[in-house]
Amino acid sequence: MFRQLARASFGPRPTTTRFTSAAAIRAQSTIAGTFTGAKNPNGTYTVTLIEGDGIGPEIADAVKDIYAAAEVPIEWEPVDVTPLLIDGKTTLPQPAVDSVNRNKVALKGPLATPVGKGHTSMNLTLRRTFNLFANVRPCKSIVGYETPYENVDTVLIRENTEGEYSGIEHTIVPGVVQSIKLITKPASEKVIRYAFEYAKSVGKPHVLVVHKASIMKLSDGLFVNTAKEVAKEYPDVSLDFELLDNTSLKLTADPNQYKNIVMVMPNLYGDIMSDLSSGLIGGLGLTPSGNMGNVVSIFEAVHGSAPDIAGKGLANPTALLLSSCMMLRHMSLNNYADKIEGAVLKTIASGPENRTGDLKGTASTKHFASQVIANL
């Protein structure tokens, strides 16, 4: 289902690529986000595994069991990312940082940020640590699981490092707080160029910049103007602009309008709109996600850690599984990705007895995983 999107975005370009010149082909090989990891002497790859909090270990176990059954040539390297507060700054443990930098790729479960201990969001800390500049979120309807919307097929690329999430805020006087939205041309150019490359690679040569430059004329205006400049390098890709509120209305009224479009937008808008898109197909439990960096890429389940059901065997591992399939295609292990993804989708479509509670089913996490293995 996510095959075309994931393979084109996270792995080598298909042979039907639209690049024609030698210079373009050379430029293609240097696009940020390309997997540069190497095989181990025994022919496997090592992948950093961040199991996460709450239900994280349970859904990570499901992924490991399914990968073992599918004989995927991957060795997991689990790491602890319990945050450290050093000089008032949230920091990842060095062994975890070294593992991700060494392996070039990681799979991450949901992380909870400690409350009342002064820690910054762990997801934000990961993005900053590894300069994960783009979050890619494909949302596509799953056959066999009905929602009010049919045939949804959207792609959203979110700038991942700045905007309102820059964390620049202060109290001017008691009762008055100022939060600064940081937009820079280099970061905007990087994510917008990635969106153009992505749009070409998946056969959706139409980029839509979602913004609010009508109000934020300087910050969003910079993002919009940067897109116009980058577009000159891609004459075969259409470029349009749309106000955020208009996109919100149109996307919920008829998501089919966005079927052949790659949306790209600043950080906060992308955070909100990507979750909205996930809601159209049934929720975050069905949505894969990838964070692309200059060298490192981290694929993750974007749903919460659900501490209320942790340890009860009720968690749905679908999002982490589909994210792992994006990871496999990023690593050029396409056949394994197809095999696992097909088994997951077949299991979901087989009926409520094989789906977890969040998908209106009755299956436990272990039962769902065993059915996926049976459908491999």
Side-chain angles (χ1 to χ4, degrees):
M1 181 188 68
F2 298 101
R3 186 172 307 161
Q4 181 191 21
L5 292 172
R7 178 177 293 135
S9 175
F10 300 111
R13 305 292 181 185
T15 55
T16 55
T17 177
R18 296 166 62 95
F19 289 109
T20 54
S21 68
I25 293 173
R26 285 195 299 272
Q28 171 190 349
S29 65
T30 61
I31 295 170
T34 302
F35 178 62
T36 58
K39 284 184 179 181
N40 297 319
N42 62 0
T44 64
Y45 292 93
T46 301
V47 173
T48 301
L49 178 62
I50 303 170
E51 293 188 349
D53 304 313
I55 60 172
E58 297 169 71
I59 60 177
D61 283 345
V63 172
K64 288 186 284 187
D65 290 344
I66 292 166
Y67 270 53
E71 299 182 343
V72 182
I74 276 180
E75 296 180 12
W76 301 106
E77 185 173 81
V79 295
D80 176 20
V81 293
T82 302
L84 305 173
L85 201 59
I86 301 176
D87 296 329
K89 183 178 180 180
T90 302
T91 306
L92 297 173
Q94 193 59 44
V97 174
D98 293 341
S99 173
V100 176
N101 282 328
R102 181 172 58 250
N103 298 327
K104 313 300 183 190
V105 64
L107 183 67
K108 183 185 83 64
L111 289 176
T113 299
V115 177
K117 297 184 179 180
H119 289 289
T120 304
S121 161
M122 285 305 299
N123 291 317
L124 184 57
T125 300
L126 280 166
R127 292 173 201 147
R128 288 176 176 172
T129 301
F130 299 107
N131 192 24
L132 304 175
F133 66 89
N135 176 256
V136 182
R137 189 88 68 89
C139 292
K140 192 166 185 178
S141 296
I142 291 183
V143 176
Y145 183 69
E146 294 184 2
T147 72
Y149 297 88
E150 296 180 355
N151 301 316
V152 176
D153 184 4
T154 64
V155 181
L156 185 149
I157 298 178
R158 163 191 175 189
E159 199 289 317
N160 223 10
T161 62
E162 51 184 31
E164 290 85 350
Y165 287 17
S166 300
I168 307 171
E169 57 181 10
H170 58 273
T171 299
I172 299 177
V173 297
V176 181
V177 174
Q178 184 178 56
S179 181
I180 296 175
K181 172 179 178 174
L182 179 69
I183 297 285
T184 67
K185 186 170 183 178
S188 299
E189 184 176 343
K190 183 183 289 187
V191 73
I192 290 167
R193 179 168 282 107
Y194 184 86
F196 273 91
E197 293 288 349
Y198 186 100
K200 292 179 67 170
S201 70
V202 300
K204 294 187 178 188
H206 189 169
V207 169
L208 177 68
V209 174
V210 179
H211 65 95
K212 196 65 177 176
S214 57
I215 302 298
M216 283 163 276
K217 301 181 186 298
L218 293 179
S219 56
D220 282 23
L222 175 60
F223 197 86
V224 165
N225 289 331
T226 301
K228 292 177 181 178
E229 292 179 13
V230 173
K232 295 175 183 177
E233 304 173 24
Y234 298 89
D236 52 346
V237 178
S238 301
L239 174 66
D240 281 310
F241 303 89
E242 196 167 79
L243 292 174
L244 173 67
D245 42 349
N246 194 17
T247 306
S248 301
L249 173 63
K250 292 170 63 179
L251 189 61
T252 53
D254 181 14
N256 285 317
Q257 298 176 75
Y258 296 87
K259 219 166 191 179
N260 297 312
I261 291 172
V262 172
M263 295 178 279
V264 61
M265 60 198 75
N267 203 335
L268 179 61
Y269 308 156
D271 188 9
I272 296 169
M273 296 298 292
S274 60
D275 278 15
L276 186 152
S277 300
S278 297
L280 302 178
I281 66 169
L284 296 177
L286 297 173
T287 309
S289 175
N291 296 284
M292 314 308 294
N294 293 333
V295 178
V296 166
S297 297
I298 299 180
F299 299 83
E300 64 175 337
V302 292
H303 55 69
S305 59
D308 55 320
I309 63 169
K312 298 180 179 179
L314 303 175
N316 178 10
T318 298
L320 193 62
L321 281 164
L322 293 180
S323 297
S324 79
C325 290
M326 293 174 74
M327 178 192 75
L328 290 176
R329 294 186 179 108
H330 171 69
M331 302 171 68
S332 301
L333 298 173
N334 301 327
N335 291 337
Y336 295 100
D338 295 347
K339 186 177 181 179
I340 293 171
E341 183 184 274
V344 170
L345 299 180
K346 184 176 180 181
T347 300
I348 293 173
S350 65
E353 68 277 7
N354 294 323
R355 296 199 294 259
T356 50
D358 60 314
L359 300 181
K360 303 176 183 178
T362 58
S364 66
T365 307
K366 287 187 177 297
H367 178 80
F368 178 86
S370 67
Q371 290 301 303
V372 172
I373 290 171
N375 287 324
L376 286 172

